[in-house]
Amino acid sequence: MLHHAPENHLPTRAGDPTPVSRNLDPLAHPFAKARERTRALNAAKIERMFAKPFVASLEGHIDGINAVVREPSSLSTIASASADGGMAALGRITLPRRYSLFI
């Protein structure tokens, strides 16, 4: 028959969480490494699945960009405005900007 002291398994003060004893012996958990590897692989797959592709950066602004608009007749022409008063228009996203205005 097993005997144990109940004070080892009860909270020391009122309101404290109940102590939890765990066996940290690696021999008692033979699948821990495989489980951790599976979790890491799943996390990497989920991260890749939800990652958005990087199309291009809107360079030429000193401060943060506040607005981006596109020309209604063309999908490749966009204009951006930043908080420093600058505006930049880009013909194609892969090409450098056509002109900048600083007010």
Side-chain angles (χ1 to χ4, degrees):
M1 188 160 160
L2 295 174
H3 294 283
H4 62 82
E7 57 270 0
N8 292 339
H9 302 283
L10 295 173
T12 54
R13 294 177 292 180
D16 283 351
T18 304
V20 177
S21 59
R22 297 185 308 158
N23 187 355
L24 300 176
D25 183 18
L27 296 176
H29 304 285
F31 301 113
K33 286 185 181 180
R35 187 169 40 247
E36 182 63 27
R37 181 180 183 278
T38 303
R39 286 180 181 167
L41 285 174
N42 287 340
K45 288 177 186 176
I46 288 173
E47 186 176 330
R48 268 188 273 133
M49 188 170 59
F50 288 115
K52 295 180 179 163
F54 180 75
V55 177
S57 63
L58 299 174
E59 296 178 355
H61 292 290
I62 299 170
D63 207 348
I65 296 174
N66 290 344
V68 177
V69 295
R70 69 172 179 85
E71 185 180 347
S73 62
S74 171
L75 292 175
S76 63
T77 303
I78 62 170
S80 58
S82 66
D84 59 358
M87 285 181 17
L90 293 96
R92 291 187 187 154
I93 295 177
T94 57
L95 296 177
R97 66 181 188 271
R98 284 196 268 175
Y99 54 86
S100 294
L101 300 172
F102 286 96
I103 301 170

